[in-house]
Amino acid sequence: MNVKTLGIDIAKNVFQIAGMDEKGKIILVKRLSRQKLMDFVGNFPPCVIGIEACGGSQFLARKFKEFGHDVKLMSPEFVKPYVKGGNKNDVNDAQAICEAVTRPTMRFVSSKSIEQQDLQSLHRIRERLVEEKVGLVNQIRGLLLEYGIVIPQGIQFISKKLPEIIDNTHQGLTSLGKRFFQELYEQFLDMTDKIKKFDRMIQEICHQSALCQELIKIEGIGPLTATALVASIADARAFKNGRQLSAYLGLVPRQHSSGNKHLLLGISKRGDKYLRKLLIHGARSVISNSKKLSDWITSLIQRRGKHKAYTALANKNARRIWAVMVYGTQGN
């Protein structure tokens, strides 16, 4: 059996395989469990393996590369057009993956090393804690409002005001109310300590990474953003230029053009929304806190307003990031 390309529709326990020869004909269709898949791929002659970039794909990509295969990850939205017919099933999906991976214009997702996977997991855990902390603060503020007690917006006011409210006998809280607000306050302190712990871990990793140390030289890029970039972008050379990286992060305008009519809309917001958020927040910090802004930013604010200036600076920083990750310098 002369199989040149394998397409694997992955899942937790059951995997569907489709094999294609050099002429593009499907000559292998197979359904395997997870353990049998490893044995099958490990004993299979080296070939190109296509996988959709989804949960568990990075682990499989690393394992298959150890077996000597050329593994290519693709975004599921780029594979969908190759699904034949209107029926959704694993066989059709595997064959679509097998065909999509052979297309010369296909865009692939870089596979991550185990160290990058560790760093990205660190960011995911921290982000979950931050979201839970924001939700907890909103709940505390909303519950207190029902007792006629108003706390100003801002997480910092919870740590300042809530202990005073619990201890104050004139606030109208019952003994039961004070008990559960005290419990919520302790949860708030616990989450704050956990987030600070992850921040220290991220700062330590940033300090040990030469690439991160170069990235934080860019104005608006700190340890959090630098380590997130290193974790998410496995190989910056997969992008031809800085604009492609910026487009990957969803920081370039959407187009709705036809013929001689060219219409640019708001940013596409495609790609990694976590990285995009960090870059825009970094740009906002630069513009809001810098005592002297560049002529380009000043002019942009006057013409388009601050919010568009934030996005424009984030776009520019994305291009600088690409230059640093590829050439080791920001360039001109």
Side-chain angles (χ1 to χ4, degrees):
M1 189 178 295
N2 190 22
V3 175
K4 296 297 183 181
T5 307
L6 284 179
I8 304 179
D9 184 41
I10 67 175
K12 293 184 179 68
N13 300 310
V14 179
F15 300 79
Q16 184 69 48
I17 297 176
M20 183 184 291
D21 63 14
E22 58 186 5
K23 295 182 179 180
K25 181 180 179 181
I26 298 294
I27 58 176
L28 172 66
V29 176
K30 208 172 185 66
R31 185 180 174 91
L32 297 171
S33 66
R34 177 174 287 270
Q35 183 55 51
K36 290 183 178 179
L37 173 73
M38 291 299 177
D39 296 337
F40 175 82
V41 176
N43 295 319
F44 203 82
C47 65
V48 175
I49 297 180
I51 305 174
E52 288 183 320
C54 56
S57 60
Q58 291 291 343
F59 166 75
L60 293 174
R62 289 194 295 269
K63 294 298 292 184
F64 295 164
K65 283 183 177 181
E66 291 176 4
F67 296 144
H69 299 287
D70 182 13
V71 185
K72 298 183 181 296
L73 301 176
M74 299 167 288
S75 173
E77 65 177 326
F78 294 153
V79 175
K80 189 175 181 179
Y82 295 93
V83 178
K84 294 180 175 64
N87 296 321
K88 169 71 174 71
N89 58 61
D90 293 346
V91 175
N92 284 347
D93 289 347
Q95 292 182 8
I97 294 169
C98 197
E99 183 175 348
V101 76
T102 64
R103 299 299 91 197
T105 57
M106 179 56 63
R107 298 175 184 175
F108 298 107
V109 177
S110 300
S111 57
K112 294 180 176 61
S113 66
I114 189 67
E115 291 79 16
Q116 287 177 309
Q117 199 72 54
D118 287 343
L119 188 51
Q120 190 173 62
S121 298
L122 192 64
H123 275 271
R124 294 292 183 266
I125 297 169
R126 181 192 177 278
E127 182 68 4
R128 175 186 59 81
L129 287 170
V130 171
E131 291 175 356
E132 289 180 356
K133 182 179 176 181
V134 171
L136 177 63
V137 168
N138 290 337
Q139 184 182 54
I140 292 172
R141 184 178 288 109
L143 291 174
L144 285 173
L145 190 60
E146 296 299 328
Y147 290 89
I149 303 171
V150 178
I151 292 184
Q153 288 188 350
I155 289 181
Q156 69 275 15
F157 289 107
I158 295 294
S159 57
K160 293 179 180 179
K161 299 290 185 180
L162 190 54
E164 298 175 4
I165 292 170
I166 295 172
D167 293 337
N168 194 333
T169 57
H170 301 290
Q171 290 287 359
L173 292 180
T174 65
S175 59
L176 176 61
K178 291 182 178 182
R179 284 171 58 189
F180 59 66
F181 277 116
Q182 180 65 38
E183 178 64 28
L184 292 175
Y185 179 61
E186 290 175 0
Q187 290 181 29
F188 171 81
L189 294 178
D190 182 56
M191 287 183 180
T192 301
D193 290 340
K194 287 180 179 179
I195 292 170
K196 289 180 179 179
K197 180 179 179 181
F198 280 103
D199 285 341
R200 288 192 294 269
M201 294 171 66
I202 288 171
Q203 288 177 357
E204 182 180 349
I205 293 170
C206 179
H207 181 72
Q208 296 173 352
S209 170
L211 178 55
C212 287
Q213 290 300 302
E214 289 298 320
L215 289 173
I216 62 176
K217 293 178 182 178
I218 301 174
E219 199 172 21
I221 306 296
L224 189 67
T225 306
T227 52
L229 288 163
V230 170
S232 298
I233 302 173
D235 183 11
R237 291 178 176 82
F239 305 97
K240 292 182 180 180
N241 50 46
R243 189 188 186 285
Q244 281 198 358
L245 175 58
S246 184
Y248 166 75
L249 296 174
L251 290 169
V252 299
R254 290 182 293 119
Q255 291 190 31
H256 188 79
S257 304
S258 178
N260 291 325
K261 296 180 179 179
H262 302 283
L263 178 62
L264 297 180
L265 306 173
I267 59 173
S268 66
K269 295 186 179 180
R270 300 180 68 178
D272 194 322
K273 62 180 182 180
Y274 178 66
L275 286 180
R276 183 170 62 253
K277 178 184 72 172
L278 291 177
L279 287 172
I280 290 178
H281 281 334
R284 179 181 288 110
S285 177
V286 170
I287 292 175
S288 300
N289 299 319
S290 294
K291 295 181 179 179
K292 182 175 177 58
L293 297 173
S294 67
D295 294 339
W296 172 73
I297 294 178
T298 303
S299 174
L300 189 60
I301 292 173
Q302 291 173 350
R303 288 184 292 111
R304 306 306 298 271
K306 275 192 173 182
H307 291 287
K308 290 185 179 179
Y310 299 152
T311 304
L313 181 57
N315 186 334
K316 190 173 184 178
N317 280 346
R319 300 172 190 234
R320 291 170 173 168
I321 288 163
W322 178 84
V324 170
M325 298 185 86
V326 173
Y327 300 114
T329 178
Q330 297 183 45
N332 297 326

